[in-house]
Amino acid sequence: MAAKLRKGDEVVVLAGKDKGKKGTIASVNPKAGKAIVDGVNIAIRHQKQTQNSQGGRTPQAMPIDLSNLAIVDKNGKPSRVGFRMDGDKKVRFAKTTGDAI
């Protein structure tokens, strides 16, 4: 099945502690149904000092479930994603505006 959300898409969080925040998808794990979004679902990770890097508490974006994300259309509103044939190509489109993504 084709992916509705892909790396580089602008998304908004629909549920959870970061509800309403917008960000860009950094990576997607389709098998687990999760994505990492820049600036969303941040957790503090404790890093041990090494010869190359300073240790300490580093913020890191954690995976968030794909069901809690919606793509942002050209108006800045959350939208669902649909598929349609544009000539002989299958393209994604925003259900709210009907524009191809």
Side-chain angles (χ1 to χ4, degrees):
M1 192 171 98
K4 294 187 181 226
L5 297 175
R6 298 179 187 161
K7 180 180 176 179
D9 285 347
E10 184 76 24
V11 293
V12 64
V13 180
L14 300 176
K17 65 174 187 164
D18 293 322
K19 182 178 179 177
K21 286 189 181 177
K22 291 182 182 178
T24 306
I25 295 180
S27 67
V28 179
N29 183 353
K31 205 168 215 172
K34 294 183 180 281
I36 295 177
V37 182
D38 295 330
V40 174
N41 201 22
I42 299 293
I44 300 293
R45 289 286 169 242
H46 296 75
Q47 188 70 37
K48 195 170 185 178
Q49 184 175 357
T50 64
Q51 214 167 13
N52 304 333
S53 65
Q54 181 72 22
R57 296 162 36 117
T58 57
Q60 182 180 1
M62 300 304 288
I64 188 167
D65 206 81
L66 289 175
S67 64
N68 294 332
L69 300 175
I71 200 155
V72 176
D73 64 10
K74 67 173 184 178
N75 299 332
K77 303 262 192 225
S79 173
R80 291 185 293 169
V81 177
F83 292 97
R84 67 175 171 222
M85 295 304 287
D86 193 20
D88 59 344
K89 284 187 134 184
K90 187 176 184 182
V91 295
R92 299 182 299 156
F93 72 97
K95 294 246 182 159
T96 53
T97 60
D99 294 336
I101 299 170

